[in-house]
Amino acid sequence: MKYTTLFLSAILAGLLSSCAQVKPVVQENIARIDAMPNFPTPYKMLDWKQKAKDFDAFAFDYDSDFPCGPVIWLDSAKRNIPQVTFGIYTAIHDVRQGPNHNDGEFHESLNSMAAILGASLIGIDKSRQDGFNYVKMIQNYFNSDTGWNIMMNNTCPDVALQGGGYGRDWWYDVLPNALFYAICDLYPDIDGADRIQRSIAEQFYKADSVLSGNYDYSFFDYGQMKGMVNNIPYQQDAAGGHGYVLYSAYQKYKDPRYLEGAKSAIDVLHAQKESRFYEILLPLGIYTAARLNAEEGTQYDITKMIDWAFDGCVSKKGRTGWGIIVGRWGDYDVSGLQGSITSSYAFLMNSIKMAWPLVPLVKYQPQYARAIGKWMLNNANACRLFFPDELDDKHQWLPELKDITRGVVSYEGLIAEDNYGNKALKGISPMGIGDGPRWNPANPPETMFSLYSTSPVGILGAIVDVTNVEGILRLDCNCTDFYANEEYPVYLYYNPYKEDKKVIYKSSGSVDLYDKLTHAYLQKNINGVCEISIPADQACLVIEIPAGKAYRRATRSPGHGLPAADNPVAAPRR
């Protein structure tokens, strides 16, 4: 009996030892990210948080002394809800907009809500700012008067044909709802918001049920509950937007129908035979798929879907060439920006908003940490090139007007070569530029400066921080992970160098630092400043756990049999 007991004890000890030896998370390669430089040049990381603060101070100043004048006004039409709302110019001096044009009603929720979201993420309370509750005021975009009963890009159809894609271009009708849900997670107690969120969830659930697996439409009429076709390409990645909103609704309301709808929509997205990347909804769908893998045990192929976004749409039936830029234009690395690969034309709004879902994705599928970290280094570096104060005169279309917004507002786009036919700019690459003058024959040249593009800059301001080592960023994985259960800080670091680097880490209290990729503690019981080592050309996904807190790993291995993200025991709601 004695020997039997010893034998069994030895076996048990061996099993416990084996269980303790958890293998590091093998990193997935994304070919288009692999083609990007580890360290883009010339390198300069802006203080994105300060840029966002500057934008908010300018954009919401009714008495701005900037050379371009104020860009915000009040809209007293009281559409949908009996309250005054506000508008912000899409571009500087856009002749379609302002209090004296189109009865002051032509303004875009994609602009207004992105500005509110970005500012809120960096700590500005938009529910109580200079006597205005801007978070409540955006509810006028809830189109109840039309019977669609979702948030839309304009407050009414009367001004819809002035610009944008209200009621005829699917992503324009879906993205406002994703933005609204994100804002409501930051402001959960705004009067009237819950009713709108419920309506959106119901409409999206009904729409997905009606579509029944077929998203081959240009847009969807949420009033008639009917898919529609026009001259705009099919937008199957609208399923990603539906899935994102419905999964957010499920997290908020715990209604199993919304989980069913989220899975149904992501099933459609995942079942596509090729990329249907159109604007921004595909990345939201990829994030949702990754989270469903981790939390609900689904088996979506995340690598395939990330490749769809980065390689871009190649189908002639879709938005051909839309994806992620890789390469060098002139003397500048521009890899990581989103836009037209075929036209070599990148856009700031899209490049910023893609960080919103993809950075928190690594919490749920940590095998993409290195790839996303490397992409973000390239993307955040290249995003500065849209701002007139970050380009020399020869690389921008309007150097004579570059001070009109004191460097706060960006060009809409960055292109490899001028597309206006200006012979003086031939051969100069890249070029800060914008499409504003093409929207209306009366629009002045300065409509190239785009508030619509700059308004989400707070997303970068919240996510991106620098460290003591140039080129190693600290990316906040929690700040855009809406309706999540992660309480503890989680940061992604990527080391672009060929050798290991030590980075100074400043803790938020007495904590242990755990790397989700190696399943090892980097430091224990620190309170203040310490150093952590980041391996060469690798990433660390660091979670701050209260010192001495018990820790467990998820037992389920969702997503192609790969390890799930680790989770602290009984993590409270953030």
Side-chain angles (χ1 to χ4, degrees), residues 139-267:
Q139 292 179 12
N140 291 74
Y141 290 110
F142 178 67
N143 275 235
S144 56
D145 292 348
T146 63
W148 282 44
N149 293 316
I150 60 173
M151 298 293 282
M152 298 184 72
N153 193 40
N154 307 121
T155 59
C156 64
D158 297 19
V159 295
L161 294 179
Q162 292 295 322
Y166 176 104
R168 63 183 183 279
D169 192 347
W170 209 345
W171 79 273
Y172 272 104
D173 298 327
V174 173
L175 184 57
N177 299 280
L179 284 165
F180 187 70
Y181 256 81
I183 291 168
C184 288
D185 190 36
L186 300 176
Y187 299 92
D189 300 317
I190 299 297
D191 182 50
D194 186 75
R195 175 183 64 86
I196 293 174
Q197 285 187 272
R198 271 288 192 182
S199 176
I200 292 166
E202 288 296 316
Q203 292 294 85
F204 278 18
Y205 177 75
K206 291 174 187 174
D208 181 76
S209 299
V210 168
L211 289 162
S212 189
N214 179 18
Y215 275 69
D216 295 347
Y217 295 102
S218 304
F219 71 101
F220 189 84
D221 186 320
Y222 292 88
Q224 299 184 64
M225 284 291 153
K226 182 179 179 181
M228 308 294 283
V229 174
N230 57 21
N231 62 320
I232 294 172
Y234 292 169
Q235 296 181 40
Q236 291 89 343
D237 70 344
H242 275 178
Y244 179 88
V245 170
L246 285 168
Y247 196 60
S248 298
Y250 171 67
Q251 294 299 324
K252 179 176 174 64
Y253 297 112
K254 301 305 179 186
D255 186 329
R257 294 179 306 130
Y258 300 154
L259 175 59
E260 172 195 339
K263 288 181 178 179
S264 173
I266 300 303
D267 283 347

Side-chain angles (χ1 to χ4, degrees), residues 36-110:
M36 298 177 188
N38 281 14
F39 202 117
T41 59
Y43 178 80
K44 180 181 178 182
M45 190 55 54
L46 294 188
D47 183 340
W48 288 110
K49 187 173 185 178
Q50 186 59 53
K51 183 68 80 171
K53 287 180 179 179
D54 293 343
F55 177 80
D56 182 78
F58 163 61
F60 288 86
D61 184 355
Y62 294 86
D63 300 303
S64 175
D65 64 356
F66 276 42
C68 64
V71 293
I72 187 171
W73 71 95
L74 295 177
D75 172 0
S76 301
K78 300 182 180 180
R79 297 281 187 172
N80 304 303
I81 293 175
Q83 66 176 14
V84 172
T85 188
F86 69 100
I88 298 176
Y89 278 85
T90 297
I92 297 298
H93 296 160
D94 191 324
V95 298
R96 305 167 298 172
Q97 297 179 304
N100 301 319
H101 299 93
N102 292 299
D103 297 322
E105 291 194 79
F106 181 52
H107 42 85
E108 302 189 69
S109 72
L110 293 182

Side-chain angles (χ1 to χ4, degrees), residues 244-321:
Y244 179 88
V245 170
L246 285 168
Y247 196 60
S248 298
Y250 171 67
Q251 294 299 324
K252 179 176 174 64
Y253 297 112
K254 301 305 179 186
D255 186 329
R257 294 179 306 130
Y258 300 154
L259 175 59
E260 172 195 339
K263 288 181 178 179
S264 173
I266 300 303
D267 283 347
V268 173
L269 183 67
H270 186 256
Q272 297 302 311
K273 302 301 181 184
E274 58 188 345
S275 175
R276 280 295 195 248
F277 194 13
Y278 190 85
E279 188 83 23
I280 193 60
L281 299 178
L282 175 58
L284 292 174
I286 297 170
Y287 159 87
T288 307
R291 192 166 169 187
L292 285 167
N293 279 359
E295 295 179 341
E296 299 296 329
T298 54
Q299 295 284 319
Y300 298 118
D301 186 342
I302 304 303
T303 298
K304 175 183 76 172
M305 298 171 81
I306 293 176
D307 281 338
W308 281 348
F310 279 79
D311 293 342
C313 177
V314 296
S315 172
K316 299 299 181 184
K317 296 180 180 179
R319 193 175 188 180
T320 311

